[in-house]
Amino acid sequence: MANAHTVVETARKAFNSGKTKPAKFRLEQLGNLLKLIDENEDAIADALYKDLHKAKAEALGMEIGMARNECVHAMNNLEDWMKPEKVKKNMLIAMDDAYIKREPFGVCLVLGAWNYPIQLTLLPLIGAMAAGNCVVTKPSELSSHTADLLARLYPKYLDNDCYPVYCGAVKETQTLLEERFDYIFYTGGGSVAKHIMAAAAKYLTPVTLELGGKSPCYVDTNTDLTVAANRIAWGKFLNAGQTCIAPDYIICQKEIQDELVKKIGNALNNFFGENPQKSDSYGRIINDRHFQRVSDLMKHGKIVIGGQSDPTERYISPTVVTDVQTTDPVMEQEVFGPVLPIMNVSGVQEAIQFINRREKPLAMYVFSHDKKVIREVIDNTSSGGFCGNDTLLHAGIDTLPFGGVGESGMGGYHGKFSFDTFSHKRSVLIKNQGMEKVNNIRYPPYSEKKSSWMMWLMKKSPKKSGLSQYMPIIILSIIVAFIFKSRLRGIH
Ligand code: NAD
């Protein structure tokens, strides 16, 4: 592997040559990436199984399928996305051209994450490629089988100079971050994000930070508890809880807690059988450090489901804990593992207060038959994304932006939002050389007459409400009707 400086310089040279700018090149390379995904489906699923014991169905649905669709979506829409965006004009520039041109930043760095190492590496890559950038990809070393596979596959399918892979751990990432990038896209935890942002600050490089946090799930008394239990259990224990938008904890009224726990137990039985360790559908913890961290989170409160673990396999069973305190580690840090604490509140108002006393989360969930309850939570809280009566699914919709707010991150992506994230929106005005008399009003020497013309041409008026907003149309209609009527009179 070439050193970090050479990798970035080669990419910069390629970018400066202009080869990534034409739509044809971008489409060709996206097509090659699509081939990479399609022709290596089994190898990718195998690497994901080795890294995370990820079931093939999860590999297909949450990683390969998502990356594939994102690629196809970008290819299908690229020419539209690249078109200059005409903007509204005021009277001063009525005869001129004004538009937004989306142009690539240059050389981008994509720092992938280990929990969905294909999706969280390739989706940003696709956006950056579509936008015409060169991209250095740094897959997470924690999901090493997937990282090795990507390092082998990229050069076979993609332009080597424009889209290199740079592998390594902390030291290598730090070395890479000493280089100058034009955009940095990072997915991972908040504490590393601060190092990334500090490194970016050196060159004032813009960043997108896709982070995590404690995503709450409020279960209302007025809800179908079987549906809630199934959907929460699915979203929480998928990938052994290592999903950035997994419901981190449940808040509900005490009166429904036992029934909810029972139904989550039923759901888990249906999903993974009596012993989830034997299930092919259940994942493992990525490494010993995270295994120890998640195991420690089970030391407080009352375990009502699960609680088993096996360090030799880094297995932790799906676990539900009640009677926890807000000061317990499981309620103070992001769980990011298969442990689901339940807190009690008196109702939706207290749930909202509970949520608002904490950092803004990446996702938020509410289960209720009552749309007013769902709206109440949406209107009085903030989070990266929101999903009512289900979990995770909002992140799979490419017409919705995916990203955090506050401590859960900054910036968003997926679909067109990715293309926009990796594009500088350049404002362009091309003036007509005529009408110099009109333009004269802005040139010195200034005069009251010039100023009043200028103000008349550029002054905006506050939007009128009620009937008065239609006044110009009403007056115009009356005039037209009057003229029409007088003409008719003239004919007779
Ligand atoms: P992490 O955030 O600690 O990231 C580990 C990566 O950072 C490794 O690749 C490591 O080499 C690198 N790194 C560590 N120290 C560094 C330093 N000083 N300078 C530069 N690089 C350094 O990984 P984690 O904590 O295991 O990840 C879990 C977190 O990521 C959770 O908070 C989760 O919510 C979040 N996450 C968010 C998303 C999202 O899409 N928003 C997706 C996945 C994970």
Side-chain angles (χ1 to χ4, degrees):
M1 186 171 69
N3 68 41
H5 185 70
T6 309
V7 168
V8 178
E9 276 312 296
T10 307
R12 187 162 305 285
K13 216 167 136 195
F15 181 76
N16 289 342
S17 76
K19 72 200 270 193
T20 58
K21 285 195 173 173
K24 186 171 171 281
F25 180 84
R26 303 185 200 186
L27 284 169
E28 233 169 59
Q29 292 297 315
L30 287 167
N32 292 346
L33 183 58
L34 186 61
K35 258 197 216 152
L36 181 158
I37 298 167
D38 283 343
E39 290 176 4
N40 296 281
E41 203 174 278
D42 287 341
I44 294 171
D46 186 48
L48 292 169
Y49 186 81
K50 286 180 179 143
D51 283 330
L52 290 144
H53 202 267
K54 199 168 277 209
K56 177 108 189 237
E58 275 181 32
L60 285 172
M62 314 297 285
E63 305 247 29
I64 299 164
M66 274 191 77
R68 194 183 183 285
N69 280 352
E70 186 82 354
C71 204
V72 173
H73 185 63
M75 290 169 74
N76 288 350
N77 291 285
L78 188 71
E79 280 172 356
D80 256 358
W81 294 347
M82 285 177 70
K83 279 185 189 146
E85 186 187 336
K86 296 257 179 211
V87 295
K88 274 193 185 166
K89 295 184 283 186
N90 64 24
M91 296 253 272
L92 278 172
I93 57 159
M95 308 299 286
D96 307 319
D97 278 344
Y99 60 88
I100 300 167
K101 181 181 189 294
R102 284 168 171 77
E103 58 181 30
F105 282 105
V107 180
C108 300
L109 171 63
V110 168
L111 294 159
W114 53 263
N115 56 335
Y116 290 87
I118 289 295
Q119 187 206 132
L120 299 175
T121 308
L122 296 192
L123 259 59
L125 169 75
I126 290 163
M129 284 170 80
N133 297 282
C134 286
V135 190
V136 178
T137 300
K138 209 309 261 158
S140 173
E141 75 282 12
L142 305 191
S143 43
S144 58
H145 292 95
T146 314
D148 290 348
L149 181 66
L150 290 180
R152 266 185 282 123
L153 294 180
Y154 268 44
K156 284 193 195 160
Y157 290 87
L158 303 178
D159 184 292
N160 284 232
D161 293 346
C162 298
Y163 313 112
V165 181
Y166 189 82
C167 286
V170 181
K171 204 170 116 280
E172 289 77 8
T173 312
Q174 286 166 335
T175 313
L176 201 51
L177 285 167
E178 280 166 21
E179 296 302 317
R180 182 175 190 152
F181 290 96
D182 301 298
Y183 203 95
I184 298 177
F185 189 105
Y186 166 77
T187 304
S191 57
V192 173
K194 289 176 187 163
H195 294 288
I196 308 295
M197 215 168 163
K202 188 173 156 198
Y203 296 112
L204 295 177
T205 303
V207 292
T208 290
L209 302 175
E210 295 289 339
L211 313 179
K214 291 185 82 62
S215 298
C217 177
Y218 173 63
V219 182
D220 193 28
T221 42
N222 177 15
T223 198
D224 183 327
L225 284 181
T226 307
V227 169
N230 285 339
R231 296 179 187 184
I232 293 169
W234 173 71
K236 175 69 188 186
F237 298 108
L238 183 88
N239 204 27
Q242 301 161 113
T243 303
C244 54
I245 49 168
D248 186 272
Y249 61 94
I250 290 177
I251 20 182
C252 68
Q253 291 189 33
K254 182 101 183 145
E255 65 189 81
I256 59 165
Q257 179 173 288
D258 289 348
E259 192 60 16
L260 182 60
V261 169
K262 196 175 114 199
K263 287 180 184 283
I264 292 176
N266 293 343
L268 290 171
N269 241 318
N270 293 337
F271 294 173
F272 308 120
E274 285 287 316
N275 182 1
Q277 191 168 6
K278 292 200 176 129
S279 167
D280 273 343
S281 302
Y282 189 66
R284 296 294 183 269
I285 305 299
I286 186 73
N287 62 14
D288 292 339
R289 177 173 70 85
H290 278 288
F291 177 83
Q292 196 48 53
R293 184 187 60 77
V294 180
S295 301
D296 290 346
L297 297 182
M298 298 196 287
K299 288 183 181 154
H300 298 85
K302 184 174 153 201
I303 294 177
V304 287
I305 294 176
Q308 298 81 21
S309 62
D310 178 352
T312 62
E313 285 186 21
R314 295 190 303 277
Y315 163 78
I316 296 178
S317 66
T319 298
V320 178
V321 191
T322 60
D323 302 335
V324 288
Q325 307 295 317
T326 50
T327 48
D328 291 342
V330 75
M331 281 309 296
E332 284 206 315
Q333 54 171 277
E334 180 184 354
V335 175
F336 215 60
V339 179
L340 179 60
I342 304 184
M343 298 290 302
N344 295 136
V345 287
S346 59
V348 67
Q349 289 308 331
E350 199 187 333
I352 290 170
Q353 287 164 15
F354 189 93
I355 290 167
N356 287 340
R357 278 198 295 273
R358 284 157 181 80
E359 295 296 340
K360 290 178 184 174
L362 186 57
M364 197 178 293
Y365 304 104
V366 174
F367 284 85
S368 179
H369 282 310
D370 189 348
K371 291 245 163 80
K372 273 200 222 126
V373 168
I374 296 179
R375 282 293 299 273
E376 181 94 12
V377 178
I378 294 174
D379 290 348
N380 293 292
T381 59
S382 177
S383 62
F386 182 95
C387 182
N389 292 324
D390 217 318
T391 59
L392 314 188
L393 293 188
H394 62 294
I397 296 165
D398 58 22
T399 43
L400 288 174
F402 179 77
V405 56
E407 289 241 326
S408 56
M410 60 179 75
Y413 72 127
H414 286 192
K416 168 81 168 16
F417 301 101
S418 296
F419 180 82
D420 280 343
T421 283
F422 285 104
S423 298
H424 165 57
K425 281 142 222 91
R426 186 178 192 182
S427 53
V428 178
L429 172 67
I430 303 173
K431 290 280 292 173
N432 190 303
Q433 286 203 0
M435 314 256 290
E436 198 56 0
K437 281 246 164 66
V438 178
N439 280 278
N440 189 39
I441 60 170
R442 69 184 148 108
Y443 301 146
Y446 303 125
S447 68
E448 260 182 46
K449 198 174 163 200
K450 280 184 174 179
S451 289
S452 72
W453 269 110
M454 180 83 134
M455 290 312 286
W456 184 79
L457 282 170
M458 64 182 279
K459 199 169 175 184
K460 284 185 194 284
S461 304
K463 197 175 165 188
K464 295 191 176 79
S465 58
L467 246 192
S468 54
Q469 66 182 309
Y470 302 111
M471 238 359 147
I473 296 175
I474 293 170
I475 293 171
L476 196 69
S477 312
I478 292 170
I479 295 170
V480 170
F482 183 77
I483 296 170
F484 191 63
K485 210 171 156 197
S486 354
R487 291 227 170 137
L488 274 183
R489 261 201 219 116
I491 291 170
H492 291 297

